[in-house]
Amino acid sequence: AKVSKPKLKLSISEASGPPPAGKATAGKGRGPGGGKKIRPPAKGSTMSPAEVAQCSKVLSAIHNRNTQEDIQWFLKPVSDPQLVEDYKSKIRYPSDLGTIATKLDKNQYSNVAEFVLDVRRICANCLRYNTSVNDSFRPLAKKLAQQTEGILALFVAAPAAPRRVYPRLLYCWKLCLSLLDTLLNMTNPTDEHQTAYFFMHPVSFYLGGALPQDYLAKVQTPMDFGTITSRLFEGEYQDVSEFIEDCRLVVDNCRTYYSGREEGKLFIELADRMDGLMAQQLNALKRYDESAAGKREKEAAVMPLALPVPSTAFLMSVMKEIRDMQYTDKFTKITEPA
């Protein structure tokens, strides 16, 4: 999920005062995978040898498709002394490739869905933690996420599988992530500080771990962009409307809680400014979801992966090439058919 940074990065100066509407709870009765929840495993159950082999192939493919320079950030738990405490306060479920490999070797996963959740959290945590304007780690996490979904579809979500073994992501998850990036990169015209700074984590994070006493009495469903990012990668959203609803909750909660409060004027101003851009982005996303192109992508996302079957002529040509190959022994210098 997150990647250990070489040094602490802060994108805006310290701000005082309570934050606007943030997040916190698990969400609205939706489980991983939205309406279609994955059946929990029986107590004490473990994956079959075949499932462990599939998951091992996933990890191997992730390593092979990335350079050491890119993958190094995701191999081990965050341990930088400058980051650890801050990281723990923002990331509830840390995950990294090394820890996943160890759990897999010890057969500590009850089912494939648990394994997939841990792998996806590597990317989600990185995006949730690295939220400064134009952060250099976000492109790495997005690249890894896209690769991972393709690898999972190839090695785990086999066409012959009788049931889905892990929740699929929202078909337009990359568009949703791009929308969040747009909001995170927005800055105030007056001070050039990040407009979404107080909306990136739960309200409790900005107040030392506790919500204001009257917060939950006024805000029914707390929400923030970090929580939205995690839900997106954990398969919580199975319909675009769910993602849009949560995004709107971020600003609506701020207005609900701070309306009529003198100390809340700044936060409502930030929410209003951000909402102007967010409304445009969400409306565009909704139009795409309702368009013919969106419907085609949605249908393609639920289709099982179909690998093309090579033709007989192609297979015969490969066999001929193999038969025609020559092998030369480097010691005897004798050449003979391979």
Side-chain angles (χ1 to χ4, degrees), residues 236-255:
E236 282 277 349
Y237 302 126
Q238 293 295 292
D239 190 89
V240 170
S241 63
E242 296 170 346
F243 172 80
I244 291 176
E245 180 183 355
D246 276 358
C247 287
R248 286 178 172 158
L249 268 179
V250 175
V251 295
D252 288 346
N253 288 350
C254 179
R255 291 167 178 155

Side-chain angles (χ1 to χ4, degrees), residues 159-193:
R163 58 185 174 83
R164 177 162 289 275
V165 295
Y166 63 89
R168 66 171 60 91
L169 297 187
L170 185 63
Y171 80 95
C172 58
W173 67 269
K174 286 177 281 187
L175 287 177
C176 295
L177 192 55
S178 177
L179 185 153
L180 294 177
D181 280 342
T182 299
L183 297 178
L184 294 181
N185 290 333
M186 183 181 183
T187 56
N188 302 327
T190 53
D191 55 19
E192 296 187 353
H193 288 174

Side-chain angles (χ1 to χ4, degrees), residues 5 7-14 86 90 132 197:
K5 283 188 177 181
K7 61 181 181 179
L8 184 62
K9 295 171 63 178
L10 294 177
S11 61
I12 97 171
S13 60
E14 294 297 323
D86 184 55
K90 295 176 180 177
S132 58
Y197 177 77

Side-chain angles (χ1 to χ4, degrees), residues 31 144 187 191 231-232:
L144 181 63
T187 56
D191 55 19
R231 288 185 175 182
L232 184 63

Side-chain angles (χ1 to χ4, degrees), residues 38-39 51 110-113 156-166:
I38 302 299
R39 179 177 296 178
E51 289 173 327
S110 298
N111 57 23
V112 173
V156 178
R163 58 185 174 83
R164 177 162 289 275
V165 295
Y166 63 89

